[in-house]
């Protein structure tokens, strides 16, 4: 007598909006090395300035993760926060590409760090 084979459960499918992460991550990976290059070649920044931009971006991401995570848990909405995180690139990268001011560049990159944390919440 043969024993019945257990039925395999399929892993749940990701919602379609989740696949928006793919092109955004490709864009992020492509533009990340350009940030210090742009700063050094176009803005004539120092290596210290490059370090400060990355420092402030990372510094903004920490409270951003706490803020967006708490808000996401409170509202029980996930998709909107992912979309905020994904849209942050569309809002900040053009500003960073068009500015010739180190301060504007630093603020845009810091805002990117804060808003990008919404997608991780």
């Amino acid at each position: 007598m043969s024993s019945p084979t257990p039925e395999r459960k399929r892993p749940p499918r990701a919602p379609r909006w989740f696949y928006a992460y793919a092109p955004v991550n490709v864009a992020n990976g492509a533009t990340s090395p350009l940030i210090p290059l742009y700063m050094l070649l176009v803005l004539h920044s120092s290596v210290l300035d490059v370090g400060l931009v990355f420092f402030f971006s990372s510094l903004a991401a920490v409270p951003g993760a706490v803020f967006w995570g708490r808000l996401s848990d409170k509202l029980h909405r996930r998709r909107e926060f992912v979309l905020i995180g994904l849209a942050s690139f569309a809002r900040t990268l053009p500003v960073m590409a068009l500015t010739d001011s180190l301060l504007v560049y630093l603020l845009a990159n810091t805002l990117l760090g804060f808003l990008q944390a919404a997608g991780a919440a």
Side-chain angles (χ1 to χ4, degrees):
M1 181 181 234
S2 65
S3 63
T5 58
E7 190 174 312
R8 288 188 177 198
K9 291 184 179 181
R10 292 185 181 176
R13 292 187 71 188
R16 287 187 314 189
W17 58 265
F18 184 76
Y19 294 103
Y21 273 113
V24 169
N25 286 335
V26 168
N28 188 20
T31 58
S32 291
L34 298 178
I35 291 172
L37 288 175
Y38 183 85
M39 290 182 68
L40 294 171
L41 298 175
V42 177
L43 299 178
H44 306 291
S45 302
S46 68
V47 175
L48 176 64
D49 294 332
V50 172
L52 288 173
V53 165
F54 281 101
F55 168 76
F56 282 110
S57 177
S58 298
L59 189 66
V62 173
V66 172
F67 171 77
W68 294 114
R70 285 186 178 171
L71 191 59
S72 174
D73 288 346
K74 181 179 179 181
L75 299 176
H76 299 289
R77 309 281 299 188
R78 304 290 186 241
R79 185 183 330 186
E80 288 80 3
F81 295 101
V82 169
L83 293 175
I84 290 170
L86 297 177
S88 66
F89 289 103
R91 297 289 186 203
T92 58
L93 290 180
V95 172
M96 291 166 54
L98 298 175
T99 189
D100 58 352
S101 166
L102 180 60
L103 180 61
V104 172
Y105 195 86
L106 179 121
L107 292 173
N109 205 315
T110 302
L111 182 63
L112 176 63
F114 181 79
L115 292 175
Q116 202 176 14

